[in-house]
Amino acid sequence: MTLTMFLTSLTLATTTNLILIIQLLIITYVARYYYKYFTRQSPLPGPFPLPLVGNLFQVGLNPAKYAMDHHHEFDKMFEIWVGSKRFIFLSHHSLTENIYIPNVNNKFFARIQIPFLENIGLQHGLIFNNNYQIWKRNRKFVVQSLMSPRFLRRFTLLAQSLFNENESFWDKKEYHIDFAKWTKNFTTDITLRTTTRRPSYCLNTFVFGDPTNSEEIKKSIKFIHATQTFFENIMFEIFVPNVLKHYFPGFYHMNKMYIKNMNWLNETISDIIKKRRTEIENYDEVGSDLIDILLTLNTSRDSNGYNEDETPMSDQEVRATIIEVSAAGIDTTANTCCFVVWQLSHHPRVVARFRDEMREILGDDTTRQITYEDLEKFTYLDAIIKESQRTIPVVPLSMRTCVEGSVIGGNSWEPNTVFFIDHEQIHKSPDCWENPDKFIPERFLKGSDHEIVKNSFIPFGGGIRICPGRHMAMVELKTLLILIYRKYDIELVDKVSKKPKVIFIGTKTCTDLKVIARSRNYNNV
Ligand code: HEM
């Protein structure tokens, strides 16, 4: 046997062995995967998973859409698999009892851990922060800022001035507008102005165009896409296994795009924080915007003094918090506003009662400034928004994990099991809502016959992680709806569709809502 022949047979033997080893590894992986699946604790119904990808092909990146389309096949609980991790859907209010409790003595404080966020330092804010002590301090600071009457009063005025800046277009005889785009531009501007204290020009550019082509304006516009992509990116991180992200062309390119987007957000907000910290250190006046409050709380510039047991927030924590608050506040509020307008367009009786309430509180002067105190009197408008959130919740699912073994719905769950609380199904449960598909704001009015069952209405989640932006969102929604409906009649262009046009990107997003706004003054002349 020549040396070449020997080497060739050796290579062949090695290749054959390698193939055998790979085959053996695959068989072992598949056997282990299905052993784990078939011997799982408390098995529930759900789509059958495949090794490595779990239910990716049935569920995609849209667990909320999957739950909406398939809930009738399952009972109050079902499961899906993400790779080799189990996610449990809870679709009945009674199952949330141990999760939505307002103190830390529950086992469901944590959300899922996302290594990608840890790699770029974005686990230090609120939404994905599982360190209770740090989360508690950050949350206290955010709540102190976003829920203070001083902030909310200023925010009410800011919403009006932003609307008025662009109102000349609305005052035309007929203003044809894609309201889905208009609101997204509006909420981006107002959120960025109040969180970063920087001007933002999305709405102006949307309405008047951009003759200057300036970098500042381009940056504002980029924020709309960047914040929307934030939650899309999170879903991608949770649902797509690493091997697909790194080696399969479609997923690989999406991954690259998401990383680029996140880096841009990180850098842009970092620059804003650096500049503002320097301005504050140079004794610029501290305002009531989120960035100022987060940068100064518990420092020598804090007007409430300083507590030695608590550290101020680092730039990294401020950055993560501002990014999260912006991403969590822009789309959610814009889409809620679209769904309220869609519902109102189908319920003229409700619009008439809303206008009666407006006249009672604000009088006949349609230019009178609206105050935060006025908004608190709008109980019918409050009920309209709530009923719209019940029927079309923009956040259809919220997510928690159990840090210890626990029991839900009579089933035992091992630590780190992930739970999706299905707001959409809970909001439509016939056990809690009479005629659940009907739009009846009156059920939310005090003194109505309808009793709101605990945890049956949860558009802002619940328990200790309940949305800290809920008052800000309600102030923004109420102000905007009053500004629109007291002066304009709104007509949908598409009067036929039974549902608004939506896609699911983490939140339920209204993709298109073409309306015609007509000035009521003009029509009355
Ligand atoms: C109509 C608009 C909004 C809806 C429907 C909404 C809904 C939600 C929901 C369902 C959660 C999860 C709560 C849970 O796990 O129990 C949440 C969390 C959160 N929201 Fe909102 N939200 C809205 C507006 C806002 C605004 C305007 C902000 C801030 C400006 C905001 C900031 C946050 C933050 C930071 C969290 C994470 C809280 C934590 O984990 O401690 N949201 N929101």
mmCIF file with all atom_site columns, all heavy atoms in Angstrom, residues 345-367:
data_model
loop_
_atom_site.group_PDB
_atom_site.id
_atom_site.type_symbol
_atom_site.label_atom_id
_atom_site.label_alt_id
_atom_site.label_comp_id
_atom_site.label_asym_id
_atom_site.label_entity_id
_atom_site.label_seq_id
_atom_site.pdbx_PDB_ins_code
_atom_site.Cartn_x
_atom_site.Cartn_y
_atom_site.Cartn_z
_atom_site.occupancy
_atom_site.B_iso_or_equiv
_atom_site.pdbx_formal_charge
_atom_site.auth_seq_id
_atom_site.auth_comp_id
_atom_site.auth_asym_id
_atom_site.auth_atom_id
_atom_site.pdbx_PDB_model_num
ATOM 1   N N   . SER A 1 345 ? -66.003 55.940 15.041 1.00 0.00 ? 345 SER A N   1
ATOM 2   C CA  . SER A 1 345 ? -66.557 56.109 13.693 1.00 0.00 ? 345 SER A CA  1
ATOM 3   C C   . SER A 1 345 ? -67.698 55.128 13.440 1.00 0.00 ? 345 SER A C   1
ATOM 4   O O   . SER A 1 345 ? -68.528 55.361 12.568 1.00 0.00 ? 345 SER A O   1
ATOM 5   C CB  . SER A 1 345 ? -65.478 55.891 12.634 1.00 0.00 ? 345 SER A CB  1
ATOM 6   O OG  . SER A 1 345 ? -64.431 56.782 12.878 1.00 0.00 ? 345 SER A OG  1
ATOM 7   N N   . HIS A 1 346 ? -67.731 54.037 14.188 1.00 0.00 ? 346 HIS A N   1
ATOM 8   C CA  . HIS A 1 346 ? -68.819 53.069 14.023 1.00 0.00 ? 346 HIS A CA  1
ATOM 9   C C   . HIS A 1 346 ? -69.917 53.250 15.062 1.00 0.00 ? 346 HIS A C   1
ATOM 10  O O   . HIS A 1 346 ? -70.883 52.495 15.063 1.00 0.00 ? 346 HIS A O   1
ATOM 11  C CB  . HIS A 1 346 ? -68.262 51.635 14.114 1.00 0.00 ? 346 HIS A CB  1
ATOM 12  C CG  . HIS A 1 346 ? -67.481 51.255 12.902 1.00 0.00 ? 346 HIS A CG  1
ATOM 13  N ND1 . HIS A 1 346 ? -66.132 51.501 12.775 1.00 0.00 ? 346 HIS A ND1 1
ATOM 14  C CD2 . HIS A 1 346 ? -67.863 50.697 11.729 1.00 0.00 ? 346 HIS A CD2 1
ATOM 15  C CE1 . HIS A 1 346 ? -65.719 51.082 11.602 1.00 0.00 ? 346 HIS A CE1 1
ATOM 16  N NE2 . HIS A 1 346 ? -66.748 50.595 10.936 1.00 0.00 ? 346 HIS A NE2 1
ATOM 17  N N   . HIS A 1 347 ? -69.745 54.236 15.958 1.00 0.00 ? 347 HIS A N   1
ATOM 18  C CA  . HIS A 1 347 ? -70.744 54.420 17.030 1.00 0.00 ? 347 HIS A CA  1
ATOM 19  C C   . HIS A 1 347 ? -71.078 55.902 17.217 1.00 0.00 ? 347 HIS A C   1
ATOM 20  O O   . HIS A 1 347 ? -70.647 56.525 18.204 1.00 0.00 ? 347 HIS A O   1
ATOM 21  C CB  . HIS A 1 347 ? -70.228 53.803 18.347 1.00 0.00 ? 347 HIS A CB  1
ATOM 22  C CG  . HIS A 1 347 ? -70.039 52.318 18.245 1.00 0.00 ? 347 HIS A CG  1
ATOM 23  N ND1 . HIS A 1 347 ? -68.865 51.756 17.816 1.00 0.00 ? 347 HIS A ND1 1
ATOM 24  C CD2 . HIS A 1 347 ? -70.894 51.294 18.456 1.00 0.00 ? 347 HIS A CD2 1
ATOM 25  C CE1 . HIS A 1 347 ? -68.999 50.440 17.787 1.00 0.00 ? 347 HIS A CE1 1
ATOM 26  N NE2 . HIS A 1 347 ? -70.215 50.137 18.182 1.00 0.00 ? 347 HIS A NE2 1
ATOM 27  N N   . PRO A 1 348 ? -71.856 56.474 16.271 1.00 0.00 ? 348 PRO A N   1
ATOM 28  C CA  . PRO A 1 348 ? -72.185 57.907 16.350 1.00 0.00 ? 348 PRO A CA  1
ATOM 29  C C   . PRO A 1 348 ? -72.908 58.276 17.650 1.00 0.00 ? 348 PRO A C   1
ATOM 30  O O   . PRO A 1 348 ? -72.731 59.378 18.161 1.00 0.00 ? 348 PRO A O   1
ATOM 31  C CB  . PRO A 1 348 ? -73.096 58.131 15.136 1.00 0.00 ? 348 PRO A CB  1
ATOM 32  C CG  . PRO A 1 348 ? -73.342 56.804 14.528 1.00 0.00 ? 348 PRO A CG  1
ATOM 33  C CD  . PRO A 1 348 ? -72.381 55.826 15.069 1.00 0.00 ? 348 PRO A CD  1
ATOM 34  N N   . ARG A 1 349 ? -73.678 57.340 18.219 1.00 0.00 ? 349 ARG A N   1
ATOM 35  C CA  . ARG A 1 349 ? -74.362 57.612 19.490 1.00 0.00 ? 349 ARG A CA  1
ATOM 36  C C   . ARG A 1 349 ? -73.334 57.947 20.589 1.00 0.00 ? 349 ARG A C   1
ATOM 37  O O   . ARG A 1 349 ? -73.521 58.868 21.392 1.00 0.00 ? 349 ARG A O   1
ATOM 38  C CB  . ARG A 1 349 ? -75.168 56.363 19.897 1.00 0.00 ? 349 ARG A CB  1
ATOM 39  C CG  . ARG A 1 349 ? -75.827 56.467 21.255 1.00 0.00 ? 349 ARG A CG  1
ATOM 40  C CD  . ARG A 1 349 ? -76.308 55.116 21.753 1.00 0.00 ? 349 ARG A CD  1
ATOM 41  N NE  . ARG A 1 349 ? -75.251 54.189 22.137 1.00 0.00 ? 349 ARG A NE  1
ATOM 42  C CZ  . ARG A 1 349 ? -74.582 54.230 23.287 1.00 0.00 ? 349 ARG A CZ  1
ATOM 43  N NH1 . ARG A 1 349 ? -74.845 55.152 24.174 1.00 0.00 ? 349 ARG A NH1 1
ATOM 44  N NH2 . ARG A 1 349 ? -73.637 53.347 23.543 1.00 0.00 ? 349 ARG A NH2 1
ATOM 45  N N   . VAL A 1 350 ? -72.223 57.225 20.574 1.00 0.00 ? 350 VAL A N   1
ATOM 46  C CA  . VAL A 1 350 ? -71.180 57.428 21.588 1.00 0.00 ? 350 VAL A CA  1
ATOM 47  C C   . VAL A 1 350 ? -70.499 58.784 21.367 1.00 0.00 ? 350 VAL A C   1
ATOM 48  O O   . VAL A 1 350 ? -70.226 59.520 22.324 1.00 0.00 ? 350 VAL A O   1
ATOM 49  C CB  . VAL A 1 350 ? -70.168 56.255 21.545 1.00 0.00 ? 350 VAL A CB  1
ATOM 50  C CG1 . VAL A 1 350 ? -69.034 56.482 22.525 1.00 0.00 ? 350 VAL A CG1 1
ATOM 51  C CG2 . VAL A 1 350 ? -70.872 54.934 21.840 1.00 0.00 ? 350 VAL A CG2 1
ATOM 52  N N   . VAL A 1 351 ? -70.282 59.142 20.093 1.00 0.00 ? 351 VAL A N   1
ATOM 53  C CA  . VAL A 1 351 ? -69.662 60.452 19.798 1.00 0.00 ? 351 VAL A CA  1
ATOM 54  C C   . VAL A 1 351 ? -70.573 61.563 20.322 1.00 0.00 ? 351 VAL A C   1
ATOM 55  O O   . VAL A 1 351 ? -70.105 62.532 20.947 1.00 0.00 ? 351 VAL A O   1
ATOM 56  C CB  . VAL A 1 351 ? -69.422 60.631 18.277 1.00 0.00 ? 351 VAL A CB  1
ATOM 57  C CG1 . VAL A 1 351 ? -68.852 62.013 17.973 1.00 0.00 ? 351 VAL A CG1 1
ATOM 58  C CG2 . VAL A 1 351 ? -68.485 59.557 17.750 1.00 0.00 ? 351 VAL A CG2 1
ATOM 59  N N   . ALA A 1 352 ? -71.881 61.413 20.102 1.00 0.00 ? 352 ALA A N   1
ATOM 60  C CA  . ALA A 1 352 ? -72.826 62.467 20.543 1.00 0.00 ? 352 ALA A CA  1
ATOM 61  C C   . ALA A 1 352 ? -72.749 62.638 22.062 1.00 0.00 ? 352 ALA A C   1
ATOM 62  O O   . ALA A 1 352 ? -72.688 63.763 22.570 1.00 0.00 ? 352 ALA A O   1
ATOM 63  C CB  . ALA A 1 352 ? -74.233 62.102 20.110 1.00 0.00 ? 352 ALA A CB  1
ATOM 64  N N   . ARG A 1 353 ? -72.699 61.513 22.788 1.00 0.00 ? 353 ARG A N   1
ATOM 65  C CA  . ARG A 1 353 ? -72.647 61.628 24.252 1.00 0.00 ? 353 ARG A CA  1
ATOM 66  C C   . ARG A 1 353 ? -71.307 62.230 24.703 1.00 0.00 ? 353 ARG A C   1
ATOM 67  O O   . ARG A 1 353 ? -71.244 63.013 25.652 1.00 0.00 ? 353 ARG A O   1
ATOM 68  C CB  . ARG A 1 353 ? -72.869 60.237 24.876 1.00 0.00 ? 353 ARG A CB  1
ATOM 69  C CG  . ARG A 1 353 ? -72.970 60.317 26.365 1.00 0.00 ? 353 ARG A CG  1
ATOM 70  C CD  . ARG A 1 353 ? -73.604 59.118 27.009 1.00 0.00 ? 353 ARG A CD  1
ATOM 71  N NE  . ARG A 1 353 ? -73.502 59.301 28.476 1.00 0.00 ? 353 ARG A NE  1
ATOM 72  C CZ  . ARG A 1 353 ? -73.794 58.406 29.361 1.00 0.00 ? 353 ARG A CZ  1
ATOM 73  N NH1 . ARG A 1 353 ? -74.258 57.235 29.003 1.00 0.00 ? 353 ARG A NH1 1
ATOM 74  N NH2 . ARG A 1 353 ? -73.663 58.670 30.652 1.00 0.00 ? 353 ARG A NH2 1
ATOM 75  N N   . PHE A 1 354 ? -70.242 61.879 24.008 1.00 0.00 ? 354 PHE A N   1
ATOM 76  C CA  . PHE A 1 354 ? -68.913 62.445 24.294 1.00 0.00 ? 354 PHE A CA  1
ATOM 77  C C   . PHE A 1 354 ? -68.949 63.965 24.094 1.00 0.00 ? 354 PHE A C   1
ATOM 78  O O   . PHE A 1 354 ? -68.454 64.743 24.912 1.00 0.00 ? 354 PHE A O   1
ATOM 79  C CB  . PHE A 1 354 ? -67.893 61.737 23.392 1.00 0.00 ? 354 PHE A CB  1
ATOM 80  C CG  . PHE A 1 354 ? -66.508 62.332 23.340 1.00 0.00 ? 354 PHE A CG  1
ATOM 81  C CD1 . PHE A 1 354 ? -65.953 62.993 24.432 1.00 0.00 ? 354 PHE A CD1 1
ATOM 82  C CD2 . PHE A 1 354 ? -65.732 62.209 22.183 1.00 0.00 ? 354 PHE A CD2 1
ATOM 83  C CE1 . PHE A 1 354 ? -64.658 63.522 24.372 1.00 0.00 ? 354 PHE A CE1 1
ATOM 84  C CE2 . PHE A 1 354 ? -64.449 62.738 22.111 1.00 0.00 ? 354 PHE A CE2 1
ATOM 85  C CZ  . PHE A 1 354 ? -63.919 63.401 23.207 1.00 0.00 ? 354 PHE A CZ  1
ATOM 86  N N   . ARG A 1 355 ? -69.623 64.409 23.025 1.00 0.00 ? 355 ARG A N   1
ATOM 87  C CA  . ARG A 1 355 ? -69.686 65.863 22.760 1.00 0.00 ? 355 ARG A CA  1
ATOM 88  C C   . ARG A 1 355 ? -70.521 66.567 23.827 1.00 0.00 ? 355 ARG A C   1
ATOM 89  O O   . ARG A 1 355 ? -70.204 67.699 24.224 1.00 0.00 ? 355 ARG A O   1
ATOM 90  C CB  . ARG A 1 355 ? -70.240 66.121 21.367 1.00 0.00 ? 355 ARG A CB  1
ATOM 91  C CG  . ARG A 1 355 ? -69.188 65.778 20.309 1.00 0.00 ? 355 ARG A CG  1
ATOM 92  C CD  . ARG A 1 355 ? -69.429 66.498 18.996 1.00 0.00 ? 355 ARG A CD  1
ATOM 93  N NE  . ARG A 1 355 ? -68.299 66.324 18.120 1.00 0.00 ? 355 ARG A NE  1
ATOM 94  C CZ  . ARG A 1 355 ? -68.348 65.725 16.928 1.00 0.00 ? 355 ARG A CZ  1
ATOM 95  N NH1 . ARG A 1 355 ? -69.466 65.242 16.467 1.00 0.00 ? 355 ARG A NH1 1
ATOM 96  N NH2 . ARG A 1 355 ? -67.253 65.628 16.199 1.00 0.00 ? 355 ARG A NH2 1
ATOM 97  N N   . ASP A 1 356 ? -71.549 65.900 24.329 1.00 0.00 ? 356 ASP A N   1
ATOM 98  C CA  . ASP A 1 356 ? -72.322 66.498 25.428 1.00 0.00 ? 356 ASP A CA  1
ATOM 99  C C   . ASP A 1 356 ? -71.422 66.702 26.641 1.00 0.00 ? 356 ASP A C   1
ATOM 100 O O   . ASP A 1 356 ? -71.455 67.738 27.306 1.00 0.00 ? 356 ASP A O   1
ATOM 101 C CB  . ASP A 1 356 ? -73.491 65.566 25.841 1.00 0.00 ? 356 ASP A CB  1
ATOM 102 C CG  . ASP A 1 356 ? -74.585 65.553 24.785 1.00 0.00 ? 356 ASP A CG  1
ATOM 103 O OD1 . ASP A 1 356 ? -74.571 66.456 23.921 1.00 0.00 ? 356 ASP A OD1 1
ATOM 104 O OD2 . ASP A 1 356 ? -75.426 64.634 24.808 1.00 0.00 ? 356 ASP A OD2 1
ATOM 105 N N   . GLU A 1 357 ? -70.604 65.674 26.905 1.00 0.00 ? 357 GLU A N   1
ATOM 106 C CA  . GLU A 1 357 ? -69.701 65.780 28.067 1.00 0.00 ? 357 GLU A CA  1
ATOM 107 C C   . GLU A 1 357 ? -68.707 66.932 27.878 1.00 0.00 ? 357 GLU A C   1
ATOM 108 O O   . GLU A 1 357 ? -68.439 67.713 28.793 1.00 0.00 ? 357 GLU A O   1
ATOM 109 C CB  . GLU A 1 357 ? -68.949 64.454 28.258 1.00 0.00 ? 357 GLU A CB  1
ATOM 110 C CG  . GLU A 1 357 ? -68.009 64.480 29.444 1.00 0.00 ? 357 GLU A CG  1
ATOM 111 C CD  . GLU A 1 357 ? -67.376 63.120 29.747 1.00 0.00 ? 357 GLU A CD  1
ATOM 112 O OE1 . GLU A 1 357 ? -66.554 62.663 28.925 1.00 0.00 ? 357 GLU A OE1 1
ATOM 113 O OE2 . GLU A 1 357 ? -67.686 62.539 30.803 1.00 0.00 ? 357 GLU A OE2 1
ATOM 114 N N   . MET A 1 358 ? -68.217 67.077 26.621 1.00 0.00 ? 358 MET A N   1
ATOM 115 C CA  . MET A 1 358 ? -67.261 68.160 26.327 1.00 0.00 ? 358 MET A CA  1
ATOM 116 C C   . MET A 1 358 ? -67.888 69.509 26.598 1.00 0.00 ? 358 MET A C   1
ATOM 117 O O   . MET A 1 358 ? -67.285 70.388 27.216 1.00 0.00 ? 358 MET A O   1
ATOM 118 C CB  . MET A 1 358 ? -66.863 68.091 24.846 1.00 0.00 ? 358 MET A CB  1
ATOM 119 C CG  . MET A 1 358 ? -65.572 67.385 24.625 1.00 0.00 ? 358 MET A CG  1
ATOM 120 S SD  . MET A 1 358 ? -65.000 67.608 22.955 1.00 0.00 ? 358 MET A SD  1
ATOM 121 C CE  . MET A 1 358 ? -65.824 66.346 22.077 1.00 0.00 ? 358 MET A CE  1
ATOM 122 N N   . ARG A 1 359 ? -69.134 69.673 26.098 1.00 0.00 ? 359 ARG A N   1
ATOM 123 C CA  . ARG A 1 359 ? -69.822 70.960 26.273 1.00 0.00 ? 359 ARG A CA  1
ATOM 124 C C   . ARG A 1 359 ? -70.016 71.255 27.757 1.00 0.00 ? 359 ARG A C   1
ATOM 125 O O   . ARG A 1 359 ? -69.803 72.365 28.214 1.00 0.00 ? 359 ARG A O   1
ATOM 126 C CB  . ARG A 1 359 ? -71.165 70.926 25.539 1.00 0.00 ? 359 ARG A CB  1
ATOM 127 C CG  . ARG A 1 359 ? -71.319 72.110 24.584 1.00 0.00 ? 359 ARG A CG  1
ATOM 128 C CD  . ARG A 1 359 ? -72.476 71.943 23.631 1.00 0.00 ? 359 ARG A CD  1
ATOM 129 N NE  . ARG A 1 359 ? -72.152 71.099 22.499 1.00 0.00 ? 359 ARG A NE  1
ATOM 130 C CZ  . ARG A 1 359 ? -72.832 70.026 22.109 1.00 0.00 ? 359 ARG A CZ  1
ATOM 131 N NH1 . ARG A 1 359 ? -73.886 69.617 22.759 1.00 0.00 ? 359 ARG A NH1 1
ATOM 132 N NH2 . ARG A 1 359 ? -72.464 69.350 21.045 1.00 0.00 ? 359 ARG A NH2 1
ATOM 133 N N   . GLU A 1 360 ? -70.390 70.226 28.512 1.00 0.00 ? 360 GLU A N   1
ATOM 134 C CA  . GLU A 1 360 ? -70.633 70.400 29.951 1.00 0.00 ? 360 GLU A CA  1
ATOM 135 C C   . GLU A 1 360 ? -69.358 70.852 30.669 1.00 0.00 ? 360 GLU A C   1
ATOM 136 O O   . GLU A 1 360 ? -69.393 71.733 31.522 1.00 0.00 ? 360 GLU A O   1
ATOM 137 C CB  . GLU A 1 360 ? -71.035 69.037 30.508 1.00 0.00 ? 360 GLU A CB  1
ATOM 138 C CG  . GLU A 1 360 ? -72.148 69.070 31.540 1.00 0.00 ? 360 GLU A CG  1
ATOM 139 C CD  . GLU A 1 360 ? -72.600 67.646 31.795 1.00 0.00 ? 360 GLU A CD  1
ATOM 140 O OE1 . GLU A 1 360 ? -73.478 67.152 31.050 1.00 0.00 ? 360 GLU A OE1 1
ATOM 141 O OE2 . GLU A 1 360 ? -72.027 67.038 32.697 1.00 0.00 ? 360 GLU A OE2 1
ATOM 142 N N   . ILE A 1 361 ? -68.218 70.278 30.303 1.00 0.00 ? 361 ILE A N   1
ATOM 143 C CA  . ILE A 1 361 ? -66.975 70.565 31.036 1.00 0.00 ? 361 ILE A CA  1
ATOM 144 C C   . ILE A 1 361 ? -66.250 71.789 30.477 1.00 0.00 ? 361 ILE A C   1
ATOM 145 O O   . ILE A 1 361 ? -65.724 72.614 31.227 1.00 0.00 ? 361 ILE A O   1
ATOM 146 C CB  . ILE A 1 361 ? -66.049 69.322 31.026 1.00 0.00 ? 361 ILE A CB  1
ATOM 147 C CG1 . ILE A 1 361 ? -66.756 68.168 31.737 1.00 0.00 ? 361 ILE A CG1 1
ATOM 148 C CG2 . ILE A 1 361 ? -64.704 69.616 31.701 1.00 0.00 ? 361 ILE A CG2 1
ATOM 149 C CD1 . ILE A 1 361 ? -66.075 66.822 31.580 1.00 0.00 ? 361 ILE A CD1 1
ATOM 150 N N   . LEU A 1 362 ? -66.250 71.939 29.151 1.00 0.00 ? 362 LEU A N   1
ATOM 151 C CA  . LEU A 1 362 ? -65.425 73.007 28.555 1.00 0.00 ? 362 LEU A CA  1
ATOM 152 C C   . LEU A 1 362 ? -66.240 74.176 28.016 1.00 0.00 ? 362 LEU A C   1
ATOM 153 O O   . LEU A 1 362 ? -65.671 75.183 27.592 1.00 0.00 ? 362 LEU A O   1
ATOM 154 C CB  . LEU A 1 362 ? -64.581 72.428 27.405 1.00 0.00 ? 362 LEU A CB  1
ATOM 155 C CG  . LEU A 1 362 ? -63.625 71.280 27.767 1.00 0.00 ? 362 LEU A CG  1
ATOM 156 C CD1 . LEU A 1 362 ? -62.995 70.715 26.513 1.00 0.00 ? 362 LEU A CD1 1
ATOM 157 C CD2 . LEU A 1 362 ? -62.547 71.769 28.727 1.00 0.00 ? 362 LEU A CD2 1
ATOM 158 N N   . GLY A 1 363 ? -67.558 74.028 27.986 1.00 0.00 ? 363 GLY A N   1
ATOM 159 C CA  . GLY A 1 363 ? -68.393 75.094 27.427 1.00 0.00 ? 363 GLY A CA  1
ATOM 160 C C   . GLY A 1 363 ? -68.360 75.061 25.905 1.00 0.00 ? 363 GLY A C   1
ATOM 161 O O   . GLY A 1 363 ? -67.865 74.102 25.298 1.00 0.00 ? 363 GLY A O   1
ATOM 162 N N   . ASP A 1 364 ? -68.855 76.156 25.294 1.00 0.00 ? 364 ASP A N   1
ATOM 163 C CA  . ASP A 1 364 ? -68.984 76.165 23.829 1.00 0.00 ? 364 ASP A CA  1
ATOM 164 C C   . ASP A 1 364 ? -67.741 76.690 23.103 1.00 0.00 ? 364 ASP A C   1
ATOM 165 O O   . ASP A 1 364 ? -67.637 76.603 21.885 1.00 0.00 ? 364 ASP A O   1
ATOM 166 C CB  . ASP A 1 364 ? -70.195 77.022 23.414 1.00 0.00 ? 364 ASP A CB  1
ATOM 167 C CG  . ASP A 1 364 ? -71.487 76.276 23.716 1.00 0.00 ? 364 ASP A CG  1
ATOM 168 O OD1 . ASP A 1 364 ? -71.455 75.029 23.675 1.00 0.00 ? 364 ASP A OD1 1
ATOM 169 O OD2 . ASP A 1 364 ? -72.503 76.931 24.027 1.00 0.00 ? 364 ASP A OD2 1
ATOM 170 N N   . ASP A 1 365 ? -66.819 77.269 23.853 1.00 0.00 ? 365 ASP A N   1
ATOM 171 C CA  . ASP A 1 365 ? -65.625 77.848 23.224 1.00 0.00 ? 365 ASP A CA  1
ATOM 172 C C   . ASP A 1 365 ? -64.669 76.715 22.816 1.00 0.00 ? 365 ASP A C   1
ATOM 173 O O   . ASP A 1 365 ? -64.014 76.087 23.664 1.00 0.00 ? 365 ASP A O   1
ATOM 174 C CB  . ASP A 1 365 ? -64.946 78.798 24.232 1.00 0.00 ? 365 ASP A CB  1
ATOM 175 C CG  . ASP A 1 365 ? -63.664 79.375 23.666 1.00 0.00 ? 365 ASP A CG  1
ATOM 176 O OD1 . ASP A 1 365 ? -63.348 79.091 22.498 1.00 0.00 ? 365 ASP A OD1 1
ATOM 177 O OD2 . ASP A 1 365 ? -62.974 80.096 24.418 1.00 0.00 ? 365 ASP A OD2 1
ATOM 178 N N   . THR A 1 366 ? -64.594 76.458 21.521 1.00 0.00 ? 366 THR A N   1
ATOM 179 C CA  . THR A 1 366 ? -63.790 75.313 21.065 1.00 0.00 ? 366 THR A CA  1
ATOM 180 C C   . THR A 1 366 ? -62.290 75.613 21.052 1.00 0.00 ? 366 THR A C   1
ATOM 181 O O   . THR A 1 366 ? -61.494 74.761 20.656 1.00 0.00 ? 366 THR A O   1
ATOM 182 C CB  . THR A 1 366 ? -64.210 74.892 19.640 1.00 0.00 ? 366 THR A CB  1
ATOM 183 O OG1 . THR A 1 366 ? -64.136 76.027 18.799 1.00 0.00 ? 366 THR A OG1 1
ATOM 184 C CG2 . THR A 1 366 ? -65.582 74.285 19.616 1.00 0.00 ? 366 THR A CG2 1
ATOM 185 N N   . THR A 1 367 ? -61.919 76.820 21.484 1.00 0.00 ? 367 THR A N   1
ATOM 186 C CA  . THR A 1 367 ? -60.477 77.117 21.523 1.00 0.00 ? 367 THR A CA  1
ATOM 187 C C   . THR A 1 367 ? -59.976 77.176 22.975 1.00 0.00 ? 367 THR A C   1
ATOM 188 O O   . THR A 1 367 ? -58.798 77.406 23.209 1.00 0.00 ? 367 THR A O   1
ATOM 189 C CB  . THR A 1 367 ? -60.171 78.472 20.847 1.00 0.00 ? 367 THR A CB  1
ATOM 190 O OG1 . THR A 1 367 ? -60.948 79.467 21.511 1.00 0.00 ? 367 THR A OG1 1
ATOM 191 C CG2 . THR A 1 367 ? -60.504 78.447 19.370 1.00 0.00 ? 367 THR A CG2 1
#
